[in-house]
Amino acid sequence: MKLFDRLPLQDLLATIRDCEHCADRLPLGPRPVLRASTSARLLIVGQAPGTRVHASGVPWDDPSGDRLRDWLQLDRPAFYDGTRIAIVPMGFCYPGRGKSGDLPPDPECAPRWHGLLLQRMPQLELTLLVGSYAQQYYLDAPGTTLTRRVQDWRDYGPMQFPLPHPSPRNNLWLRRNPWFEGEVIPALRDRVRQMGL
């Protein structure tokens, strides 16, 4: 990807939004959904857009986003303030549907683009790794479960914070793990508040 090494961030984002690398595998066609800025201090790395986000072009514009904003105690204007918060999922386009929900993010997307984006965001103070795909890519914790990674959130600080996916499909996980909302969410909110977001 040396071709893109010297591109300013806005030009890189334009290049990504024009990407058709995996168009033949996308049931709704390519529509990369992400946000990034050189001044961003919080990075949210999720999974991949669902159909609602694909339709709107707005990241986390669905019930999962509502829950994530509640976890962070951020309203929509604060959450979508691109000067402070970057949103860079593991896959930028809707991957399609499988037997038990959306398919995994395309495995070539993050290696192709994430490094180039991160180089252009020098102000990052915290990265939220939302869901198992982001955690498996960014955390050096082979063989550990999502539950264990989230329980051990202190081990990944202060720059990284693993979270379960806020999807309504994870309601059972949340009920089975009350420590998450009792211990982890207050710590997350404190961290976000300390950042002045």
Side-chain angles (χ1 to χ4, degrees), residues 130-132 135 144-151 162-165 173:
V130 184
S132 61
Q135 292 165 20
T144 58
T145 64
L146 177 137
T147 300
R148 173 56 60 193
R149 290 188 295 265
V150 174
Q151 282 177 321
L163 296 170
H165 198 283
W173 186 94

Side-chain angles (χ1 to χ4, degrees), residues 43-62:
L43 170 62
I44 300 171
V45 181
Q47 186 165 305
T51 53
R52 283 181 62 169
V53 170
H54 175 87
S56 72
V58 178
W60 295 101
D61 186 25
D62 55 18

Side-chain angles (χ1 to χ4, degrees), residues 49 61 74 78 98-99 179:
D61 186 25
L74 293 175
K99 290 181 181 177
W179 51 266

